[in-house]
Amino acid sequence: MLSISRLSRSEIIAKASGIYEEAVRLRRMIHENPELGFEEHKTAEMIADYLKGLGMEVTTGVAKTGVVGLLHGEQEGPVLAFRADIDALPILEKTDATFKSKNPGVMHACGHDMHTAMLLSAAKILSQNTQHISGTIKFIFQPAEEMLGGGGMMVDEGVLSNPPVDHAFAFHVWPELATGTYGFRNGAIMASMDSFDVVLKGKQGHGAAPHQGVDAIVGAAHVVTALQTIVSRETDPVDSVVVTIGTIEAGDGYNIIPEKASFRGTVRTLNANTRKEVATSIQRIIEGVASALKLEVEINFNFSVGYPVTINDSTFNEHAAAIATDLFGEDSVQWLSKPSMASEDFAFYLEKVPGSFVFLGVAENPENPMKLHSDVFLPDEKAMIQGISLIVGIALYTTEKVQ
């Protein structure tokens, strides 16, 4: 157990519980007014006003719609960054919540509304307790986490500088863990994610005379099937790769052999070397199969804007887990045996500074959990007490650089 000398365990939990109703209000307001990546103008304005009301130094317009609040403690210490993502998804909400989305076709279906509300609430608690803070805290509210790489843009624009950040922390609501628990994992906790677009060009023909055409649909079918051999025949069985083809488009008539077929996909890996090898394999297979079937091919790899593997620093991660244990007991901390093959652009932060990405349990029934990105996803709001408490605990008890 940690030796608590600033605010006690019970005081931290009491403060998180005391601000819970405000956190719920913030979460529901954000949920009702979702905005897509790089369009979070009203959300960013609300966040900036809230932080200014706490007396913080506030910077807006980082990575277009990002907001950063700076809070200085009254004692010397490290610079800690806490990040919350603020964007929503292009999903039509189908819940019956009284606070359901007012923006048709846009929904907070990944819990970013709760992330933002928890970080704002923790910021309020910490702003009222600067005498207990050693160092400086950056509150980072990041746009465009969902497939748009807002985290990478934030890092490129210097969010980890001025002052330079020593450790970074973020979390994600996790419906496969029960409310009141945290999920920790040293090393890789989430996979890389890269995407690619492919166009195959053959020769149009009549369905009754297939020998006079070059069938792009047959070519696409062969390519899609062959790509799965990367997983089954080219990857070490104890490594992990997922190749997914998400869309395929071709043709406009039931009796016409189409000239073109296009498809798009993603690839996910758990280490940098495999990530590079898979990119090479994808290109080799697509070009090889296309050539064998007399098809021209165009490949657009988006690997330069993909997400790296999210890798937790073991020392800092275990430090965060010790604080969680001290706050809510050993049963609240679960050490995950395997990573998720989903991806997260907090990876860009952890490439630059050591830190921890933590899963926050939000399932009232983890045996039958709601799924992230579901049109009925509503995480358990009671978990915000654990989320707020852990942010405050880490902020108060990381009093020096963790070596």
Side-chain angles (χ1 to χ4, degrees):
M1 300 289 281
L2 296 177
S3 175
I4 301 294
S5 58
R6 294 172 179 266
L7 288 178
S8 69
R9 165 191 176 278
S10 60
E11 287 173 323
I12 291 174
I13 296 173
K15 289 182 181 298
S17 300
I19 206 169
Y20 173 69
E21 289 186 6
E22 181 171 343
V24 169
R25 178 186 63 79
L26 287 168
R27 182 267 171 137
R28 295 185 177 186
M29 179 176 62
I30 296 166
H31 190 92
E32 280 186 314
N33 299 282
E35 297 174 296
L36 297 175
F38 296 128
E39 299 176 10
E40 311 96 328
H41 300 289
K42 292 182 179 178
T43 305
E45 182 180 6
M46 181 277 292
I47 291 168
D49 288 344
Y50 191 94
L51 296 177
K52 289 175 183 176
L54 301 179
M56 290 192 193
E57 302 172 30
V58 177
T59 303
T60 59
V62 186
K64 298 183 180 179
T65 48
V67 180
V68 179
L70 203 60
L71 181 66
H72 298 288
E74 296 181 15
Q75 303 174 56
E76 294 295 319
V79 179
L80 303 183
F82 294 89
R83 186 222 67 172
D85 33 15
I86 66 175
D87 57 320
L89 286 157
I91 292 174
L92 177 65
E93 182 167 359
K94 295 183 180 179
T95 75
D96 57 1
T98 58
F99 52 91
K100 70 184 300 182
S101 172
K102 295 179 181 178
N103 187 358
V106 183
M107 177 190 176
H108 272 291
C110 200
H112 297 186
D113 49 343
M114 276 181 57
H115 300 170
T116 302
M118 287 187 282
L119 190 55
L120 287 172
S121 300
K124 184 170 185 177
I125 292 171
L126 291 165
S127 71
Q128 296 169 345
N129 290 275
T130 56
Q131 72 276 20
H132 298 308
I133 298 173
S134 297
T136 299
I137 302 172
K138 278 189 178 180
F139 299 93
I140 300 171
F141 295 87
Q142 176 212 300
E145 189 278 330
E146 298 289 356
M147 295 289 289
L148 295 174
M153 187 179 295
M154 293 284 278
V155 171
D156 289 343
E157 293 189 12
V159 76
L160 298 176
S161 305
N162 301 318
V165 170
D166 293 303
H167 305 297
F169 172 86
F171 52 88
H172 205 295
V173 298
W174 209 245
E176 296 177 21
L177 293 174
T179 299
T181 62
Y182 307 94
F184 286 90
R185 190 176 194 277
N186 290 334
I189 187 169
M190 299 190 80
S192 66
M193 189 284 295
D194 298 294
S195 62
F196 55 92
D197 299 78
V198 178
V199 177
L200 298 174
K201 185 177 180 180
K203 181 181 178 182
Q204 190 181 74
H206 195 283
H211 61 292
Q212 295 176 353
V214 178
D215 196 329
I217 286 182
V218 169
H222 277 279
V223 170
V224 170
T225 300
L227 287 175
Q228 294 306 318
T229 64
I230 294 172
V231 178
S232 65
R233 289 297 178 268
E234 296 191 20
T235 302
D236 187 326
V238 298
D239 198 354
S240 296
V241 173
V242 177
V243 179
T244 300
I245 305 303
T247 69
I248 185 166
E249 299 175 359
D252 52 14
Y254 60 86
N255 64 342
I256 301 170
I257 293 172
E259 178 187 28
K260 289 184 179 181
S262 61
F263 58 89
R264 294 182 291 173
T266 60
V267 56
R268 300 171 188 272
T269 68
L270 291 175
N271 66 70
N273 288 335
T274 302
R275 187 183 184 194
K276 293 177 183 177
E277 291 169 0
V278 170
T280 300
S281 296
I282 286 174
Q283 182 165 356
R284 187 195 76 246
I285 289 173
I286 293 174
E287 291 178 346
V289 173
S291 176
L293 297 177
K294 300 187 293 185
L295 292 160
E296 297 177 16
V297 62
E298 298 175 9
I299 307 173
N300 179 25
F301 289 102
N302 302 310
F303 283 21
S304 61
V305 295
Y307 293 2
V309 182
T310 305
I311 300 177
N312 283 332
D313 174 84
S314 59
T315 299
F316 188 70
N317 195 49
E318 290 169 11
H319 172 69
I323 293 172
T325 300
D326 192 72
L327 286 168
F328 291 101
E330 293 183 1
D331 290 343
S332 70
V333 171
Q334 296 190 25
W335 286 97
L336 307 176
S337 61
K338 57 185 179 180
S340 167
M341 293 305 290
S343 58
E344 164 60 55
D345 77 354
F346 189 63
F348 290 108
Y349 300 77
L350 295 180
E351 279 190 321
K352 302 296 184 182
V353 298
S356 176
F357 188 74
V358 181
F359 293 155
L360 177 67
V362 292
E364 293 180 280
N365 180 14
E367 298 301 319
N368 185 28
M370 293 182 179
K371 298 298 183 181
L372 295 172
H373 294 204
S374 162
D375 56 12
V376 294
F377 181 63
L378 284 176
D380 186 358
E381 290 177 326
K382 294 189 295 296
M384 289 196 288
I385 293 175
Q386 277 77 20
I388 295 166
S389 296
L390 185 55
I391 295 171
V392 173
I394 291 173
L396 295 181
Y397 295 104
T398 308
T399 58
E400 57 187 26
K401 296 183 182 180
V402 179
Q403 302 296 325

